[in-house]
Amino acid sequence: MKPNTFLRRTSGRTAPGTLLAVGLAATLALTASGCAKSEDGDSGSGDKSAAEGDAGQVVSSPGAGDRKTCVIGDYGAEKLDLKSATVGFSQSEKEANPFRIAETASIKAEADRRGVRLLTANAQSQFSKQISDVQDLIAKGADLLVIAPLNSDGWEPVLRQAKAKHIPIVTIDREINAAPCKDYVSFIGSDFVEQGRRAADRMIAATGGKGEVAILLGAAGNNVTTDRTKGFEERIKEKAPDLKVVFKQTGEFAREKGQQVTEQLIQSKPGIDGIYAENDEMGLGAVGALKGAGKKAGDIKIVTIDGTRNAVRGIVDGWIDGVVESNPRFGPLAFKTLDTFTKGGKVDQDIVIEDSAYTKDNAESDLGKAY
């Protein structure tokens, strides 16, 4: 049974178009001609298992009249051939997180498949480093930029420098607070508010809509945390007024921190019925804390977001009740966006992808699709 998919409802962002929705499930096989060179000297091929398979991102359908597009003339750049260009990729977080591993692998694999020269940098979860990383990519000759932002604010120095050199920017996974088709071309990512709503629906079903739940918040300063919290809380208030959010604390999207916060939680709120972790790593940290406290699988319902293999395995083992997917395989869609744009075609300013879900019904059969 395949994970259930949904078509994204707009929530404060413009719905995406279908221009880029053709062929996005194409293979990320690494056997294509050409070689993408990363700045650390590797071949750019990345982790094959993380990058390929039945995992291509699919763009959700737009609402009528909601599309806002961008063309290269409006942005102030000039047409170029992607195959002869140098693309710079800035990763935000250290690649201990499976989401980031799969994301980087996908970017490298698609660059390799297309024969595009790729420069890479990793900010190691330090925002000041990410700013200097991108400035360095520009100095090294990047013609185009793909950025996975750590934070949503504070990008003005990079945007000014890129604008002065007419460098198109595509952001993935997290948004930046700037003007599309002016400061950057397009954002590609999930509908994070809808992810929060879907997590709430799963929590309501798991708890019967009654009791007390906690939220392990993601890192502060980015739209993912804000939107996933908003969607969850709004849906709980709407559909399950007897289910109360009684605890909220950041786990910084990290497993160790998620475990620490959950250890505090079960001391201060021993009767907690459910934990909503805004990513899988924090959810797995919560599982570790519950095991350490002598809890049994299923005693406290856990719902997470991402779709990592360990979290889906947690469903099979009974510790996690449900996982809302957030697909990290941005390579094909990011490069297709750049290719269309640099040839003079229209691209959507806001490109939102469909996400699947894992439950007890499909977790075991679809474990191989997780990353």
Side-chain angles (χ1 to χ4, degrees):
M1 177 178 178
K2 291 184 179 180
N4 298 317
T5 58
F6 72 97
L7 294 183
R8 182 250 194 194
R9 304 179 186 90
T10 56
S11 53
R13 292 203 302 258
T14 315
T18 56
L19 175 66
L20 302 174
V22 180
L24 296 179
T27 180
L28 291 176
L30 308 183
T31 55
S33 61
C35 179
K37 297 179 180 178
S38 67
E39 66 176 4
D40 57 5
D42 66 30
S43 67
S45 60
D47 179 349
K48 184 175 180 180
S49 63
E52 64 182 19
D54 183 19
Q57 292 176 334
V58 178
V59 180
S60 61
S61 301
D66 285 338
R67 286 182 64 186
K68 290 185 179 180
T69 59
C70 187
V71 295
I72 202 163
D74 293 341
Y75 188 77
E78 296 181 357
K79 294 181 183 180
L80 58 84
D81 183 355
L82 183 60
K83 288 186 177 181
S84 63
T86 297
V87 176
F89 172 58
S90 170
Q91 178 58 273
S92 57
E93 299 175 11
K94 56 188 176 182
E95 289 163 20
N97 184 326
F99 184 97
R100 298 300 167 187
I101 294 171
E103 184 177 64
T104 298
S106 178
I107 294 291
K108 288 183 175 181
E110 185 65 11
D112 187 79
R113 190 183 75 81
R114 289 175 174 265
V116 175
R117 183 170 183 261
L118 182 70
L119 304 176
T120 64
N122 190 304
Q124 302 294 320
S125 301
Q126 301 172 47
F127 185 62
S128 60
K129 183 177 185 307
Q130 187 166 37
I131 295 298
S132 63
D133 280 349
V134 179
Q135 291 174 327
D136 187 52
L137 291 172
I138 294 172
K140 288 180 176 179
D143 302 298
L144 305 160
L145 291 169
V146 178
I147 300 174
L150 182 64
N151 294 337
S152 296
D153 293 317
W155 284 94
E156 291 80 6
V158 162
L159 298 177
R160 284 196 301 269
Q161 189 172 347
K163 191 71 173 178
K165 292 181 175 290
H166 309 289
I167 298 173
I169 298 172
V170 168
T171 70
I172 60 173
D173 178 42
R174 295 175 183 171
E175 294 179 287
I176 60 174
N177 291 326
C181 204
K182 179 182 177 182
D183 299 316
Y184 66 97
V185 175
S186 299
F187 161 74
I188 306 172
S190 298
D191 179 350
F192 305 115
V193 173
E194 183 65 17
Q195 288 179 340
R197 293 183 187 126
R198 296 177 73 203
D201 289 340
R202 185 68 252 159
M203 184 64 75
I204 292 168
T207 59
K210 296 180 180 180
E212 296 182 341
V213 296
I215 301 177
L216 301 187
L217 301 166
N222 66 77
N223 69 301
V224 178
T225 297
T226 302
D227 288 353
R228 286 178 178 171
T229 304
K230 177 182 178 182
F232 185 86
E233 291 186 321
E234 287 181 348
R235 184 59 62 89
I236 292 292
K237 183 178 180 181
E238 173 194 355
K239 289 193 171 183
D242 293 329
L243 191 60
K244 305 295 184 183
V245 177
V246 297
F247 179 97
K248 290 192 291 186
Q249 188 169 325
T250 181
E252 299 174 3
F253 287 135
R255 188 181 302 198
E256 182 179 354
K257 184 68 173 179
Q259 180 165 341
Q260 292 171 356
V261 172
T262 303
E263 288 169 349
Q264 298 168 14
L265 166 66
I266 55 183
Q267 289 293 322
S268 63
K269 301 286 183 182
I272 200 77
D273 298 289
I275 297 173
Y276 164 45
E278 293 186 339
N279 82 335
D280 285 354
E281 286 295 286
M282 292 189 296
L284 291 167
V287 170
L290 296 181
K291 288 180 178 179
K295 301 289 185 180
K296 296 179 181 179
D299 283 351
I300 296 175
K301 307 301 182 182
I302 299 176
V303 177
T304 72
I305 298 177
D306 267 349
T308 65
R309 192 160 300 186
N310 285 336
V312 179
R313 171 61 67 184
I315 299 176
V316 177
D317 295 340
W319 285 96
I320 295 177
D321 193 81
V323 175
V324 178
E325 183 196 43
S326 195
N327 194 330
R329 300 170 175 99
F330 287 94
L333 187 50
F335 278 87
K336 186 173 180 63
T337 302
L338 291 174
D339 193 26
T340 300
F341 183 75
T342 55
K343 287 177 179 176
K346 290 182 180 180
V347 298
D348 293 317
Q349 296 176 15
D350 194 26
I351 303 169
V352 179
I353 61 175
E354 295 178 2
D355 288 313
S356 301
Y358 297 92
T359 67
K360 294 176 182 177
D361 293 333
N362 65 4
E364 188 166 11
S365 63
D366 287 340
L367 183 60
K369 296 179 182 179
Y371 54 89

